[in-house]
Amino acid sequence: MTRHPLMPIAAIALVSFVGLVIGLTGDGWEDAAAALGLALSVAPIGVALLRR
Amino acid sequence: MKPATLRAWSKVHTWSSLICTLFMLILALTGLPLVFHDEIDGIGKPERIERWNDAELVTLDRAIAAALALEPGAVPIYLSFDEDRPVVNLTSGPVGDAPETAMRFHPIDRRTAAPPQGEAPGGGVMDVVLDLHKDLLLGTVGEYFVGAIGLCFVLALVSGVVLYAPFARKAGFASVRKAKTARTRWLDWHNLIGGVTLAWALVVGLTGTINTLAEPITAWWRADALAHLARDRAGPIAPYRPGIADQALRNAQAAVPGMRVQFIAFPGAAFSSRDHLAVYLQGATPLTAKLLTPVMVDARTGKVDGVAPMPWYMKALLLAQPLHFGDYGGMAMKLLWAVLDLVSIVVLGSGLYLWLRKPRAARRSRAA
Protein backbone atom coordinates (compact mmCIF):
# COMPACT_ATOMS: atom_id res chain seq x y z
CA MET A 1 0.00 0.00 0.00
CA THR A 2 1.46 3.41 -0.97
CA ARG A 3 1.37 6.31 1.45
CA HIS A 4 -0.74 9.31 0.43
CA PRO A 5 1.55 12.21 -0.56
CA LEU A 6 -0.30 14.60 1.75
CA MET A 7 0.13 12.33 4.79
CA PRO A 8 3.17 14.19 6.27
CA ILE A 9 1.64 17.66 6.05
CA ALA A 10 -1.73 16.35 7.27
CA ALA A 11 -0.01 14.81 10.32
CA ILE A 12 1.92 18.04 11.06
CA ALA A 13 -1.23 20.12 10.60
CA LEU A 14 -3.23 17.88 12.94
CA VAL A 15 -0.61 17.91 15.70
CA SER A 16 -0.14 21.70 15.40
CA PHE A 17 -3.87 22.34 15.51
CA VAL A 18 -4.47 20.04 18.47
CA GLY A 19 -1.56 21.78 20.27
CA LEU A 20 -3.08 25.21 19.63
CA VAL A 21 -6.44 24.12 21.02
CA ILE A 22 -4.90 22.39 24.05
CA GLY A 23 -2.92 25.59 24.72
CA LEU A 24 -6.20 27.45 25.21
CA THR A 25 -7.25 25.18 28.06
CA GLY A 26 -4.45 25.79 30.56
CA ASP A 27 -1.32 27.65 31.53
CA GLY A 28 1.04 24.78 32.41
CA TRP A 29 1.82 21.72 30.28
CA GLU A 30 -0.91 22.91 27.90
CA ASP A 31 1.26 25.87 26.83
CA ALA A 32 4.18 23.52 26.32
CA ALA A 33 1.97 21.30 24.12
CA ALA A 34 0.99 24.32 22.01
CA ALA A 35 4.64 25.36 21.61
CA LEU A 36 5.64 21.80 20.72
CA GLY A 37 2.93 21.63 18.06
CA LEU A 38 4.17 24.87 16.53
CA ALA A 39 7.80 23.76 16.78
CA LEU A 40 6.84 20.67 14.79
CA SER A 41 5.59 23.01 12.05
CA VAL A 42 8.88 24.85 11.72
CA ALA A 43 11.18 21.86 12.32
CA PRO A 44 11.10 20.56 8.69
CA ILE A 45 12.14 24.05 7.50
CA GLY A 46 15.12 23.95 9.85
CA VAL A 47 16.04 20.44 8.66
CA ALA A 48 15.86 21.51 5.01
CA LEU A 49 18.06 24.56 5.76
CA LEU A 50 20.65 22.40 7.53
CA ARG A 51 20.78 20.01 4.57
CA ARG A 52 22.34 22.82 2.49
CA MET B 1 -6.28 14.25 -10.97
CA LYS B 2 -7.18 15.14 -14.56
CA PRO B 3 -5.00 17.80 -16.23
CA ALA B 4 -8.04 20.06 -16.75
CA THR B 5 -8.93 19.86 -13.02
CA LEU B 6 -5.34 20.60 -12.09
CA ARG B 7 -5.31 23.64 -14.40
CA ALA B 8 -8.53 24.92 -12.84
CA TRP B 9 -7.07 24.59 -9.32
CA SER B 10 -3.89 26.26 -10.52
CA LYS B 11 -5.95 29.25 -11.71
CA VAL B 12 -7.76 29.41 -8.36
CA HIS B 13 -4.42 29.32 -6.52
CA THR B 14 -2.80 31.92 -8.76
CA TRP B 15 -5.61 34.45 -8.62
CA SER B 16 -6.60 34.02 -4.98
CA SER B 17 -2.90 34.42 -4.07
CA LEU B 18 -2.32 37.42 -6.33
CA ILE B 19 -5.38 39.22 -4.96
CA CYS B 20 -4.34 38.78 -1.35
CA THR B 21 -0.51 38.86 -1.47
CA LEU B 22 0.09 42.60 -1.11
CA PHE B 23 -2.47 42.95 1.69
CA MET B 24 -1.28 39.75 3.40
CA LEU B 25 2.25 41.19 3.40
CA ILE B 26 0.93 44.28 5.19
CA LEU B 27 -0.97 42.07 7.67
CA ALA B 28 2.05 39.81 8.28
CA LEU B 29 4.36 42.81 8.82
CA THR B 30 1.96 44.59 11.17
CA GLY B 31 1.05 41.31 12.91
CA LEU B 32 4.66 40.71 13.92
CA PRO B 33 4.94 43.57 16.48
CA LEU B 34 1.39 42.85 17.66
CA VAL B 35 2.52 39.39 18.85
CA PHE B 36 4.79 41.23 21.30
CA HIS B 37 2.43 44.11 22.11
CA ASP B 38 2.71 43.52 25.87
CA GLU B 39 6.50 43.69 25.75
CA ILE B 40 6.53 46.71 23.39
CA ASP B 41 3.95 48.56 25.50
CA GLY B 42 6.14 47.94 28.55
CA ILE B 43 9.27 49.51 27.01
CA GLY B 44 10.35 52.56 28.99
CA LYS B 45 7.93 51.81 31.81
CA PRO B 46 9.55 50.79 35.09
CA GLU B 47 8.72 47.19 35.95
CA ARG B 48 7.27 47.24 39.45
CA ILE B 49 5.01 44.94 41.40
CA GLU B 50 1.85 46.80 42.31
CA ARG B 51 0.62 46.50 45.87
CA TRP B 52 -2.66 47.73 47.25
CA ASN B 53 -5.22 47.23 49.94
CA ASP B 54 -8.74 46.60 48.60
CA ALA B 55 -10.27 48.44 51.54
CA GLU B 56 -8.48 51.64 50.53
CA LEU B 57 -9.67 51.68 46.91
CA VAL B 58 -12.30 54.17 45.81
CA THR B 59 -15.61 52.77 44.58
CA LEU B 60 -16.20 52.14 40.89
CA ASP B 61 -18.64 55.03 40.70
CA ARG B 62 -16.13 57.38 42.30
CA ALA B 63 -13.57 56.30 39.66
CA ILE B 64 -16.18 56.82 36.93
CA ALA B 65 -16.91 60.32 38.28
CA ALA B 66 -13.16 61.09 38.21
CA ALA B 67 -12.95 59.97 34.57
CA LEU B 68 -16.09 61.88 33.53
CA ALA B 69 -14.71 65.02 35.17
CA LEU B 70 -11.96 64.92 32.54
CA GLU B 71 -14.55 65.03 29.77
CA PRO B 72 -17.58 67.11 30.85
CA GLY B 73 -20.85 66.08 29.22
CA ALA B 74 -19.69 62.55 28.38
CA VAL B 75 -21.44 59.36 29.51
CA PRO B 76 -19.89 55.98 30.43
CA ILE B 77 -19.97 53.28 27.73
CA TYR B 78 -17.58 50.58 28.97
CA LEU B 79 -15.61 50.02 32.15
CA SER B 80 -12.77 47.50 32.02
CA PHE B 81 -10.40 46.30 34.74
CA ASP B 82 -6.61 45.89 34.63
CA GLU B 83 -5.51 42.51 35.96
CA ASP B 84 -2.21 43.43 37.62
CA ARG B 85 -3.08 46.75 39.23
CA PRO B 86 -6.16 48.48 40.67
CA VAL B 87 -6.80 50.55 37.56
CA VAL B 88 -10.14 50.79 35.78
CA ASN B 89 -10.47 52.07 32.22
CA LEU B 90 -13.54 54.08 31.37
CA THR B 91 -14.55 54.30 27.73
CA SER B 92 -16.82 57.31 27.38
CA GLY B 93 -18.64 59.13 24.61
CA PRO B 94 -21.19 61.86 23.94
CA VAL B 95 -24.05 59.30 24.06
CA GLY B 96 -24.37 55.68 25.19
CA ASP B 97 -24.51 54.32 21.64
CA ALA B 98 -21.73 56.55 20.27
CA PRO B 99 -19.66 55.15 17.39
CA GLU B 100 -16.16 53.90 18.15
CA THR B 101 -14.57 56.98 16.58
CA ALA B 102 -16.31 59.24 19.12
CA MET B 103 -15.18 57.22 22.15
CA ARG B 104 -12.48 58.32 24.60
CA PHE B 105 -10.44 56.14 26.96
CA HIS B 106 -9.66 57.21 30.53
CA PRO B 107 -7.64 54.98 32.89
CA ILE B 108 -8.21 55.78 36.57
CA ASP B 109 -6.15 54.46 39.48
CA ARG B 110 -8.55 53.43 42.25
CA ARG B 111 -5.92 54.21 44.90
CA THR B 112 -5.94 57.89 44.02
CA ALA B 113 -9.10 58.44 41.90
CA ALA B 114 -6.81 60.01 39.29
CA PRO B 115 -5.11 58.88 36.07
CA PRO B 116 -2.16 56.53 36.77
CA GLN B 117 1.06 58.43 37.35
CA GLY B 118 3.56 58.72 34.54
CA GLU B 119 1.22 57.47 31.83
CA ALA B 120 0.78 59.49 28.69
CA PRO B 121 -2.77 59.53 27.35
CA GLY B 122 -3.41 57.42 24.24
CA GLY B 123 -2.00 54.08 23.17
CA GLY B 124 0.84 55.37 20.99
CA VAL B 125 2.36 53.60 18.02
CA MET B 126 0.96 50.12 18.81
CA ASP B 127 -2.59 51.47 18.49
CA VAL B 128 -1.76 52.69 14.98
CA VAL B 129 -0.20 49.33 14.12
CA LEU B 130 -3.31 47.54 15.42
CA ASP B 131 -5.62 49.81 13.40
CA LEU B 132 -3.53 49.22 10.28
CA HIS B 133 -3.67 45.47 10.87
CA LYS B 134 -7.38 45.49 11.69
CA ASP B 135 -8.79 47.73 8.96
CA LEU B 136 -5.91 49.30 6.98
CA LEU B 137 -6.94 52.62 8.63
CA LEU B 138 -10.17 52.54 6.58
CA GLY B 139 -12.69 51.95 9.39
CA THR B 140 -15.52 49.46 9.07
CA VAL B 141 -15.20 49.14 5.27
CA GLY B 142 -11.52 48.34 5.71
CA GLU B 143 -12.37 45.73 8.33
CA TYR B 144 -14.71 43.87 5.96
CA PHE B 145 -12.12 44.21 3.18
CA VAL B 146 -9.47 42.63 5.43
CA GLY B 147 -11.99 39.85 6.19
CA ALA B 148 -12.44 39.22 2.45
CA ILE B 149 -8.65 39.16 2.04
CA GLY B 150 -8.54 36.57 4.84
CA LEU B 151 -11.01 34.37 2.94
CA CYS B 152 -8.93 34.79 -0.24
CA PHE B 153 -5.88 33.67 1.75
CA VAL B 154 -7.73 30.57 2.99
CA LEU B 155 -8.75 29.77 -0.61
CA ALA B 156 -5.10 30.16 -1.68
CA LEU B 157 -4.05 27.74 1.07
CA VAL B 158 -6.65 25.11 0.18
CA SER B 159 -5.90 25.31 -3.56
CA GLY B 160 -2.19 25.20 -2.74
CA VAL B 161 -2.68 21.89 -0.89
CA VAL B 162 -4.62 20.46 -3.85
CA LEU B 163 -1.76 21.42 -6.19
CA TYR B 164 0.85 20.16 -3.74
CA ALA B 165 -0.48 16.56 -3.73
CA PRO B 166 0.69 15.52 -7.22
CA PHE B 167 3.91 17.52 -6.75
CA ALA B 168 4.71 15.75 -3.46
CA ARG B 169 4.09 12.36 -5.10
CA LYS B 170 6.97 13.08 -7.51
CA ALA B 171 9.37 15.17 -5.42
CA GLY B 172 8.76 13.68 -1.97
CA PHE B 173 8.14 15.50 1.31
CA ALA B 174 10.33 18.42 2.36
CA SER B 175 12.82 18.10 -0.46
CA VAL B 176 14.54 21.13 -1.99
CA ARG B 177 16.26 20.38 -5.30
CA LYS B 178 19.38 22.43 -4.80
CA ALA B 179 21.03 21.50 -8.07
CA LYS B 180 18.14 22.91 -10.12
CA THR B 181 17.39 26.48 -11.24
CA ALA B 182 16.61 29.29 -8.80
CA ARG B 183 12.93 29.13 -9.76
CA THR B 184 12.73 25.39 -9.02
CA ARG B 185 14.50 25.88 -5.69
CA TRP B 186 12.07 28.63 -4.70
CA LEU B 187 9.14 26.47 -5.83
CA ASP B 188 10.39 23.75 -3.48
CA TRP B 189 10.80 26.21 -0.59
CA HIS B 190 7.35 27.67 -1.31
CA ASN B 191 5.79 24.17 -1.20
CA LEU B 192 7.76 23.04 1.82
CA ILE B 193 7.08 26.09 3.99
CA GLY B 194 3.49 26.45 2.82
CA GLY B 195 2.82 22.76 3.54
CA VAL B 196 4.29 22.49 7.03
CA THR B 197 2.79 25.79 8.25
CA LEU B 198 -0.65 24.97 6.82
CA ALA B 199 -2.49 24.50 10.15
CA TRP B 200 -1.09 27.71 11.63
CA ALA B 201 -1.85 29.70 8.47
CA LEU B 202 -5.40 28.32 8.27
CA VAL B 203 -6.04 29.10 11.95
CA VAL B 204 -4.66 32.64 11.63
CA GLY B 205 -6.53 33.28 8.35
CA LEU B 206 -9.88 31.96 9.56
CA THR B 207 -9.73 33.56 13.02
CA GLY B 208 -8.64 36.84 11.44
CA THR B 209 -11.70 36.73 9.19
CA ILE B 210 -13.94 35.92 12.18
CA ASN B 211 -12.44 38.87 14.09
CA THR B 212 -13.31 41.27 11.26
CA LEU B 213 -16.93 40.15 11.65
CA ALA B 214 -17.03 41.03 15.37
CA GLU B 215 -19.48 43.89 14.82
CA PRO B 216 -22.18 42.00 12.85
CA ILE B 217 -21.76 38.90 15.06
CA THR B 218 -22.25 41.04 18.17
CA ALA B 219 -25.21 42.82 16.60
CA TRP B 220 -26.77 39.44 15.78
CA TRP B 221 -26.26 38.26 19.36
CA ARG B 222 -27.82 41.46 20.66
CA ALA B 223 -30.87 40.95 18.46
CA ASP B 224 -31.02 37.23 19.17
CA ALA B 225 -29.99 36.28 22.72
CA LEU B 226 -30.33 39.66 24.43
CA ALA B 227 -33.61 40.58 22.75
CA HIS B 228 -35.79 38.85 25.33
CA LEU B 229 -34.11 40.82 28.12
CA ALA B 230 -34.40 44.23 26.45
CA ARG B 231 -37.76 45.77 27.24
CA ASP B 232 -37.83 48.61 24.74
CA ARG B 233 -35.34 48.37 21.93
CA ALA B 234 -36.38 51.69 20.36
CA GLY B 235 -36.83 53.63 23.58
CA PRO B 236 -34.43 56.09 25.18
CA ILE B 237 -31.14 54.89 26.62
CA ALA B 238 -31.34 54.62 30.40
CA PRO B 239 -29.13 57.38 31.83
CA TYR B 240 -26.17 56.61 34.08
CA ARG B 241 -26.76 57.35 37.71
CA PRO B 242 -23.98 57.44 40.32
CA GLY B 243 -23.90 54.31 42.45
CA ILE B 244 -25.33 51.96 39.83
CA ALA B 245 -21.99 50.45 38.68
CA ASP B 246 -21.02 49.21 42.16
CA GLN B 247 -24.56 47.97 42.78
CA ALA B 248 -24.67 46.15 39.42
CA LEU B 249 -21.31 44.45 40.02
CA ARG B 250 -22.30 43.35 43.53
CA ASN B 251 -25.60 41.89 42.37
CA ALA B 252 -24.08 40.23 39.28
CA GLN B 253 -21.39 38.48 41.33
CA ALA B 254 -24.02 37.35 43.82
CA ALA B 255 -26.05 35.86 40.95
CA VAL B 256 -23.06 33.97 39.50
CA PRO B 257 -20.67 33.29 42.41
CA GLY B 258 -17.00 32.40 41.92
CA MET B 259 -16.47 34.54 38.82
CA ARG B 260 -14.56 37.77 38.42
CA VAL B 261 -15.51 40.80 36.40
CA GLN B 262 -13.84 41.51 33.08
CA PHE B 263 -15.82 44.54 31.96
CA ILE B 264 -19.11 46.34 32.32
CA ALA B 265 -21.11 47.59 29.32
CA PHE B 266 -23.42 50.51 30.07
CA PRO B 267 -26.88 51.09 28.53
CA GLY B 268 -26.67 51.75 24.77
CA ALA B 269 -23.28 50.04 24.29
CA ALA B 270 -22.95 47.35 21.61
CA PHE B 271 -22.46 44.71 24.31
CA SER B 272 -25.51 45.73 26.32
CA SER B 273 -29.14 46.75 25.80
CA ARG B 274 -30.68 50.22 26.07
CA ASP B 275 -31.89 49.65 29.62
CA HIS B 276 -29.28 47.33 31.15
CA LEU B 277 -25.79 47.34 32.47
CA ALA B 278 -24.23 44.12 31.21
CA VAL B 279 -21.65 42.82 33.68
CA TYR B 280 -19.29 40.42 31.92
CA LEU B 281 -17.90 37.80 34.26
CA GLN B 282 -15.10 35.36 33.50
CA GLY B 283 -14.28 32.00 35.04
CA ALA B 284 -11.23 31.12 37.09
CA THR B 285 -9.67 28.55 34.74
CA PRO B 286 -7.60 29.58 31.69
CA LEU B 287 -10.31 28.38 29.29
CA THR B 288 -13.34 29.77 31.15
CA ALA B 289 -11.42 33.04 31.62
CA LYS B 290 -11.66 33.47 27.83
CA LEU B 291 -15.39 32.70 27.71
CA LEU B 292 -17.54 35.42 29.22
CA THR B 293 -20.91 35.22 30.95
CA PRO B 294 -22.96 38.43 30.76
CA VAL B 295 -25.28 39.25 33.63
CA MET B 296 -27.94 41.77 32.64
CA VAL B 297 -28.67 44.26 35.40
CA ASP B 298 -31.59 46.69 35.23
CA ALA B 299 -30.08 50.18 34.85
CA ARG B 300 -32.89 51.77 36.91
CA THR B 301 -33.29 49.34 39.82
CA GLY B 302 -29.90 47.62 39.89
CA LYS B 303 -31.60 44.20 40.06
CA VAL B 304 -30.41 41.25 38.00
CA ASP B 305 -32.81 40.66 35.10
CA GLY B 306 -31.12 37.55 33.82
CA VAL B 307 -27.93 35.68 33.02
CA ALA B 308 -27.38 35.25 29.30
CA PRO B 309 -24.81 32.50 28.58
CA MET B 310 -23.11 33.21 25.29
CA PRO B 311 -24.22 31.21 22.25
CA TRP B 312 -21.69 29.20 20.19
CA TYR B 313 -21.00 31.98 17.69
CA MET B 314 -20.05 34.46 20.42
CA LYS B 315 -17.82 31.83 22.05
CA ALA B 316 -16.19 31.28 18.63
CA LEU B 317 -15.62 35.04 18.36
CA LEU B 318 -14.04 35.22 21.83
CA LEU B 319 -11.76 32.23 21.16
CA ALA B 320 -10.80 33.59 17.72
CA GLN B 321 -8.96 36.51 19.33
CA PRO B 322 -6.26 34.60 21.26
CA LEU B 323 -5.99 32.04 18.43
CA HIS B 324 -5.29 34.85 15.97
CA PHE B 325 -2.62 36.69 17.96
CA GLY B 326 -1.00 33.67 19.67
CA ASP B 327 -0.50 35.58 22.89
CA TYR B 328 -1.92 32.97 25.26
CA GLY B 329 0.94 30.51 25.62
CA GLY B 330 3.88 32.43 27.04
CA MET B 331 7.09 33.67 25.42
CA ALA B 332 7.99 30.34 23.73
CA MET B 333 4.73 30.42 21.83
CA LYS B 334 5.14 34.11 20.97
CA LEU B 335 8.60 33.46 19.53
CA LEU B 336 7.33 30.52 17.46
CA TRP B 337 4.40 32.66 16.32
CA ALA B 338 6.87 35.31 15.17
CA VAL B 339 8.94 32.69 13.30
CA LEU B 340 5.80 31.42 11.59
CA ASP B 341 4.83 34.99 10.71
CA LEU B 342 8.27 35.54 9.14
CA VAL B 343 8.19 32.29 7.15
CA SER B 344 4.71 33.17 5.90
CA ILE B 345 6.28 36.33 4.45
CA VAL B 346 8.74 34.03 2.63
CA VAL B 347 5.82 32.00 1.25
CA LEU B 348 4.07 35.16 0.04
CA GLY B 349 7.24 36.61 -1.49
CA SER B 350 8.27 33.34 -3.13
CA GLY B 351 4.77 32.91 -4.57
CA LEU B 352 5.00 36.33 -6.17
CA TYR B 353 8.50 35.55 -7.46
CA LEU B 354 7.31 32.23 -8.95
CA TRP B 355 4.49 33.98 -10.77
CA LEU B 356 6.75 36.74 -12.10
CA ARG B 357 9.40 34.24 -13.23
CA LYS B 358 6.90 31.87 -14.83
CA PRO B 359 7.79 31.35 -18.54
CA ARG B 360 5.70 33.74 -20.63
CA ALA B 361 4.34 30.95 -22.84
CA ALA B 362 3.08 29.07 -19.79
CA ARG B 363 1.44 32.24 -18.43
CA ARG B 364 -0.26 32.91 -21.78
CA SER B 365 -1.54 29.32 -22.07
CA ARG B 366 -2.88 29.41 -18.49
CA ALA B 367 -4.62 32.70 -19.14
CA ALA B 368 -6.20 31.39 -22.36
Side-chain angles (χ1 to χ4, degrees):
Chain A
M1 196 174 79
T2 54
R3 199 178 62 174
H4 194 280
L6 292 180
M7 194 70 90
I9 66 162
I12 290 172
L14 184 68
V15 174
S16 304
F17 181 70
V18 170
L20 285 178
V21 175
I22 288 174
L24 283 173
T25 64
D27 284 336
W29 67 269
E30 296 90 345
D31 285 349
L36 270 176
L38 290 178
L40 187 66
S41 298
V42 292
I45 303 169
V47 171
L49 278 170
L50 287 174
R51 269 202 223 129
R52 279 199 146 168
Chain B
M1 196 183 298
K2 289 179 186 167
T5 315
L6 204 60
R7 272 200 300 278
W9 276 107
S10 176
K11 267 187 188 168
V12 171
H13 186 63
T14 301
W15 286 105
S16 57
S17 305
L18 282 175
I19 289 167
C20 74
T21 292
L22 174 67
F23 301 104
M24 285 307 300
L25 278 170
I26 296 171
L27 297 176
L29 287 170
T30 52
L32 194 56
L34 288 174
V35 176
F36 300 103
H37 67 93
D38 288 332
E39 290 74 15
I40 295 171
D41 286 342
I43 291 173
K45 288 179 190 165
E47 201 172 301
R48 59 167 193 257
I49 298 166
E50 303 271 353
R51 296 180 199 286
W52 67 91
N53 179 359
D54 281 350
E56 291 170 5
L57 301 180
V58 300
T59 63
L60 294 182
D61 289 286
R62 173 91 193 280
I64 291 170
L68 292 178
L70 301 169
E71 197 188 349
V75 299
I77 300 175
Y78 294 108
L79 187 72
S80 64
F81 297 74
D82 282 6
E83 284 181 1
D84 51 356
R85 56 185 191 161
V87 169
V88 291
N89 306 289
L90 185 80
T91 303
S92 58
V95 285
D97 55 357
E100 209 176 312
T101 48
M103 293 179 186
R104 296 284 176 273
F105 188 74
H106 304 287
I108 297 290
D109 192 326
R110 291 180 65 195
R111 288 167 291 199
T112 58
Q117 279 187 335
E119 269 185 33
V125 72
M126 288 309 287
D127 274 6
V128 179
V129 175
L130 179 61
D131 285 345
L132 189 58
H133 186 82
K134 204 172 75 170
D135 56 24
L136 304 171
L137 306 179
L138 294 172
T140 307
V141 175
E143 218 167 307
Y144 294 146
F145 179 74
V146 169
I149 291 297
L151 283 181
C152 243
F153 179 59
V154 170
L155 188 59
L157 289 171
V158 172
S159 55
V161 172
V162 175
L163 293 175
Y164 177 71
F167 168 86
R169 192 170 279 130
K170 279 188 223 155
F173 171 65
S175 62
V176 178
R177 292 165 288 177
K178 291 173 181 123
K180 298 276 183 178
T181 61
R183 189 177 183 280
T184 306
R185 281 200 306 276
W186 276 112
L187 173 66
D188 289 349
W189 278 116
H190 182 80
N191 288 336
L192 164 61
I193 301 173
V196 296
T197 59
L198 178 71
W200 175 83
L202 273 175
V203 166
V204 171
L206 284 170
T207 53
T209 301
I210 292 171
N211 286 337
T212 63
L213 298 173
E215 216 170 285
I217 291 174
T218 309
W220 174 266
W221 170 65
R222 235 170 96 126
D224 175 32
L226 292 188
H228 70 281
L229 289 169
R231 280 185 294 274
D232 185 1
R233 272 177 282 163
I237 295 169
Y240 167 75
R241 65 175 173 80
I244 190 66
D246 284 294
Q247 189 186 3
L249 179 57
R250 240 184 350 261
N251 291 345
Q253 286 184 313
V256 190
M259 297 183 93
R260 61 174 193 265
V261 61
Q262 202 205 45
F263 73 96
I264 297 173
F266 289 85
F271 280 79
S272 187
S273 76
R274 296 176 86 81
D275 39 26
H276 287 95
L277 277 84
V279 180
Y280 284 79
L281 301 174
Q282 57 184 168
T285 68
L287 182 60
T288 56
K290 293 175 186 80
L291 300 171
L292 304 175
T293 301
V295 181
M296 305 302 286
V297 178
D298 190 306
R300 291 176 181 86
T301 65
K303 286 185 181 159
V304 172
D305 261 0
V307 179
M310 286 195 157
W312 65 269
Y313 51 86
M314 282 302 288
K315 286 179 180 167
L317 178 64
L318 291 172
L319 290 177
Q321 283 158 10
L323 276 172
H324 185 71
F325 289 107
D327 55 359
Y328 60 92
M331 186 48 79
M333 192 173 179
K334 284 185 179 189
L335 289 170
L336 284 160
W337 213 266
V339 170
L340 286 157
D341 187 291
L342 287 169
V343 298
S344 73
I345 292 174
V346 175
V347 176
L348 292 167
S350 57
L352 197 58
Y353 167 82
L354 292 169
W355 181 74
L356 290 171
R357 293 296 298 269
K358 187 179 269 187
R360 282 187 182 180
R363 250 198 268 171
R364 271 201 302 273
S365 70
R366 294 271 161 94

